[in-house]
Amino acid sequence: MRAPPLLLLLAACAPPPCATTAPTPPGWEPATDAPWCPYKVLPEGPEAGGGRLCFRSPARGFRCQAPGCAAHASAGRSLRASVLRNRSVLLQWRLGPAEARRVRAFALNCSWRGAYTRFPCERVLLGASCRDYLLPDVHDGVRYRLCLQPLPLRAEPAGAPEPAAPAECVEFAAEPAGMREIVVAMTAVGGSICVMLVVICLLVAYITENLMHPAFGRPGLRRQP
């Protein structure tokens, strides 16, 4: 028994099943023996002192999929920011095994571009086991710049201090959610109006062709004297 042509067409157009279930690439996942990520949100100003120690569970198996997510990577490709539609940003980074053993913490600096200059936002100190961090709310249409710098282990008293690794930076701008919804709504309304106009034009053409012409175009309907 042959399958209907419509089923064959749907099967040919369907995406492969592994496109949405692919695991996170190696190196981006936190270690299995690190169920928590310790971090501190530092207050603004160097004289404010250290922040309160907090813990968060790492985001395992996360996939950034369009259209609900837009991914941005740093120049070194070791830091990426996934901007979600709910105006939250998941920051993820990866390190090699040898580099990870020499890191005691990560310093995250955030800034956003205003009309004339940049303004600082959140500063976070993360533990060595952390591989991601969530920014819960960002402003629409603002250009953000996030820089992550690994902090080396403290050297022994007799040893030379280990140089700090350069910071990786990623820039992004969150798409305005309100404007996106307006564009989608206007597109839907415009499509409905176009369909209605086509139907009206076809109806007018039908009426003109079938109801108007027979009454005036047939010579056999002339009135006899």
Side-chain angles (χ1 to χ4, degrees):
M1 182 177 178
R2 297 179 61 185
L6 180 59
L7 294 180
L8 294 176
L9 180 62
L10 292 176
C13 296
C18 61
T20 58
T21 58
T24 303
W28 293 97
E29 282 282 352
T32 55
D33 57 350
W36 300 102
C37 167
Y39 68 95
K40 284 184 178 182
V41 179
L42 305 178
E44 294 183 4
E47 69 280 353
R52 185 179 61 180
L53 180 64
C54 303
F55 295 87
R56 62 179 303 270
S57 57
R60 301 183 183 276
F62 173 79
R63 297 291 293 175
C64 184
Q65 299 174 359
C69 177
H72 305 267
S74 63
R77 316 298 296 181
S78 62
L79 177 67
R80 67 181 180 186
S82 300
V83 184
L84 305 175
R85 292 189 63 180
N86 60 358
R87 297 191 307 173
S88 61
V89 178
L90 180 64
L91 193 69
Q92 295 174 292
W93 58 92
R94 59 182 175 183
L95 294 175
E99 187 180 3
R101 287 192 294 266
R102 300 194 299 267
V103 172
R104 64 177 174 88
F106 297 95
L108 174 63
N109 294 308
C110 170
S111 62
W112 60 275
R113 185 182 296 278
Y116 302 101
T117 184
R118 283 192 174 273
F119 298 91
C121 42
E122 203 166 70
R123 296 188 306 123
V124 186
L125 187 65
L126 302 113
S129 61
C130 299
R131 292 297 180 270
D132 56 42
Y133 182 72
L134 181 67
L135 278 74
D137 191 14
V138 295
H139 297 286
D140 296 336
V142 175
R143 191 73 181 176
Y144 282 86
R145 178 180 174 87
L146 300 176
C147 294
L148 185 79
Q149 183 177 22
L151 302 180
L153 293 171
R154 293 185 176 90
E156 298 294 333
E162 189 171 350
E168 284 280 338
C169 298
V170 59
E171 294 191 8
F172 62 88
E175 182 182 354
M179 184 60 65
R180 179 175 56 246
E181 300 299 332
I182 291 175
V183 170
V184 172
M186 292 180 64
T187 304
V189 173
S192 302
I193 293 176
C194 290
V195 172
M196 291 177 61
L197 290 176
V198 171
V199 172
I200 292 174
C201 291
L202 293 176
L203 183 60
V204 170
Y206 175 81
I207 294 174
T208 303
E209 183 69 23
N210 295 276
L211 298 181
M212 302 292 291
H213 289 177
F216 300 97
R218 293 181 182 178
L221 295 179
R222 295 177 180 177
R223 179 178 298 179
Q224 299 296 329

